[in-house]
């Protein structure tokens, strides 16, 4: 990595950086990472004193802004009492309260906690496979998934992600082949989808989708009607419907969960990312009663054999409970509505500019899609930093997924920076 001398020099930076392997990064050519030393609201403070307005809320986790005092207080109390205890044979109030609340919000019945989104997806896939095995349907061992889908970076999650667009190309021959199809959008597409399922349903355990918004595959949107129809057809063929709400959950698309907008209840739901308001790593796989009851029998072989060591970490669960309190006490979904309007209005200035392929907004997600040949994500990232913004373009998009609490002037700064940078793509 090219070393650019900055005003603030810290020995921990240079000495430590030589031993760090960064995510999604060609470290030979990537610009040096920025050193963050503090966060608050929608601001990230860097080691050299510069302040950046955050456009992506740390991979859209920090939905209430950073360091929300209410969450911090709840975590401090839990930290004193019991930061962690194993979940094998022991339970605790933060996890049980959280499970009950999550089920009430999602109309699901059982919560299996894990520590990252990818693992929540692995758990959902394993539950789906074993559900059928426990019913004597061993042949149902494949999944249907969608082009541009992304479900995580572990091997099972990779197998149901887009084989080309999900950063997993190198592993194509090593992961299980699944059925990857286009999201149908019209009656012809649905008819094809229906007939495909007729042909293969006996070998398929379930279907996995990011409802309404495909995130890391390029922030692509489909309508609630499309989602409801995919759900209807999947259920018609007896497939389990797995909703990966890791990115869309907790208000991001305008409802608390994206499935709500389509009026559907999945068989399995994965949540993560904003679950703890961006403070701790925690995820969960939620199951309906029909799924759970298929694991109840007199045989230990029918039990679900999975258990992350830090499963249901009490500190993370306390943060998640506090985050849910904030969704109840503060007008988050109203704020999302306002953000969507502002994003749509202000980003529309990019429409028709040379190099711009599409401009779109859904909930608190704003996207400017760029012609791939104009995309230079490392260069663009540096330009945004120069404008005081933390925006991290990837693939062929520049996107904003700010905290749901972002102020109007802060969001204007972000959209202004996007429009300014995009207008110079030439
Ligand atoms: C981020 C993400 C994941 C993976 O979550 P990790 O916590 O990074 O493992 C899975 N599915 C979707 C839709 C995501 O956005």
């Amino acid at each position: 990595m090219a070393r650019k001398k900055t005003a603030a020099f810290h020995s921990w930076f240079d000495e430590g950086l030589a031993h760090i392997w960064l995510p999604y990064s060609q470290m030979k050519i990537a610009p040096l990472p920025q050193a963050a030393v503090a966060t608050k609201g929608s601001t990230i403070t860097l080691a050299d004193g510069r302040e950046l307005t955050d456009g992506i809320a740390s991979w859209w986790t920090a939905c209430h802004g950073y360091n929300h005092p209410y969450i911090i207080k709840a975590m401090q109390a839990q930290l004193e009492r019991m930061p962690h205890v194993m979940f094998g044979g022991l339970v605790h109030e933060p996890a049980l309260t959280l499970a009950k609340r999550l089920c009430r919000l999602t109309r699901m019945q059982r919560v299996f906690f894990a520590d990252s989104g990818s693992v929540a997806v692995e758990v959902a896939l394993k539950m789906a496979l074993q559900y059928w095995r426990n019913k004597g349907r061993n042949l149902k061992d494949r999944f249907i998934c969608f082009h541009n889908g992304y479900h995580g970076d572990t091997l099972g999650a990779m197998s149901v992600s887009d084989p080309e667009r999900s950063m997993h190309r190198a592993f194509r021959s090593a992961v299980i082949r699944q059925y990857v199809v286009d999201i149908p959008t019209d009656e012809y597409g649905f008819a094809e989808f229906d007939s495909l399922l007729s042909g293969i349903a006996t070998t398929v355990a379930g279907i996995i989708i990011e409802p309404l918004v495909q995130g890391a595959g390029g922030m692509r949107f489909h309508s609630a009607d499309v989602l409801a129809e995919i759900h209807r057809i999947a259920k018609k063929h007896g497939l389990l419907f797995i909703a990966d709400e890791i990115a869309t959950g907790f208000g991001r698309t305008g409802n608390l969960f994206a499935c709500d907008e389509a009026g559907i209840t999945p068989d399995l739901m994965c949540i993560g990312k904003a679950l703890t308001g961006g403070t701790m790593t925690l995820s969960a796989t939620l199951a309906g009663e029909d799924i759970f009851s298929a694991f109840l029998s007199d045989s230990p072989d029918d039990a679900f054999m999975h258990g992350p060591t830090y499963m249901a970490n009490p500190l993370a669960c306390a943060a998640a409970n506090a985050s849910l309190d904030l969704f109840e006490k503060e007008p988050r979904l109203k704020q999302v509505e306002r953000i969507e309007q502002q994003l749509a209005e202000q980003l529309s200035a990019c429409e028709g500019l040379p190099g711009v392929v599409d401009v779109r907004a859904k909930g608190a997600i704003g996207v400017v899609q760029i012609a791939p040949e104009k995309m230079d994500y490392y260069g663009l990232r540096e330009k945004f930093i120069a404008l005081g913004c933390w925006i991290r373009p990837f693939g062929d998009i520049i996107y904003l997924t700010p905290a749901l609490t972002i102020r109007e002037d802060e969001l204007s700064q972000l959209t202004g920076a996007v429009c300014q940078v995009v207008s110079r793509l030439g």
Side-chain angles (χ1 to χ4, degrees), residues 23 115 210 271 367 369:
D115 37 25
E210 298 159 88
I271 55 174
V367 182
Q369 191 177 335

Side-chain angles (χ1 to χ4, degrees), residues 61-79:
T61 60
C63 52
H64 313 288
Y66 294 112
N67 309 27
H68 195 293
Y70 183 82
I71 300 182
I72 302 278
K73 206 171 144 217
M75 288 176 71
Q76 278 167 342
Q78 185 61 43
L79 186 61

Side-chain angles (χ1 to χ4, degrees), residues 134-312:
N134 284 358
K135 285 175 174 286
R137 301 285 303 274
N138 295 11
L139 290 179
K140 287 170 83 68
D141 66 354
R142 286 292 179 275
F143 290 91
I144 293 172
C145 55
F146 295 97
H147 283 126
N148 302 307
Y150 173 83
H151 298 285
D153 293 343
T154 51
L155 283 164
M158 276 161 52
S159 81
V160 289
S161 299
D162 187 304
E164 288 297 327
R165 286 191 53 108
S166 58
M167 311 170 279
H168 301 148
R169 233 169 320 191
F171 307 97
R172 221 180 325 165
S173 65
V175 301
I176 300 168
R177 282 275 306 268
Q178 311 286 12
Y179 295 102
V180 190
V181 301
D182 286 329
I183 290 190
T185 51
D186 59 15
E187 59 186 298
Y188 302 99
F190 285 120
E192 266 180 47
F193 184 63
D194 194 3
S195 81
L196 171 76
L197 265 54
S198 306
I200 62 176
T202 51
T203 64
V204 174
I207 182 164
I208 182 163
I209 189 167
E210 298 159 88
L212 300 187
V213 178
Q214 294 181 299
M219 299 285 178
R220 287 151 196 270
F221 308 157
H222 55 268
S223 72
D225 289 344
V226 163
L227 178 61
E229 188 60 8
I230 292 172
H231 177 260
R232 190 189 67 76
I233 296 171
K235 294 318 291 176
K236 175 182 146 189
H237 293 284
L239 305 188
L240 297 182
F241 188 91
I242 307 171
D244 179 350
E245 292 248 19
I246 291 165
T248 52
F250 304 103
R252 185 56 62 184
T253 65
N255 285 81
L256 198 54
F257 295 96
C259 285
D260 297 345
E261 192 177 325
I264 58 169
T265 305
D267 298 295
L268 290 158
M269 181 191 277
C270 302
I271 55 174
K273 286 208 165 83
L275 172 57
T276 61
T279 57
M280 296 280 296
T281 179
L282 181 69
S283 69
T285 307
L286 283 58
E289 195 58 38
D290 170 51
I291 305 285
F292 179 72
S293 58
F295 291 74
L296 300 178
S297 83
D298 295 325
S299 165
D301 283 350
D302 289 342
F304 187 58
M305 301 307 279
H306 197 105
T309 304
Y310 278 90
M311 175 174 191

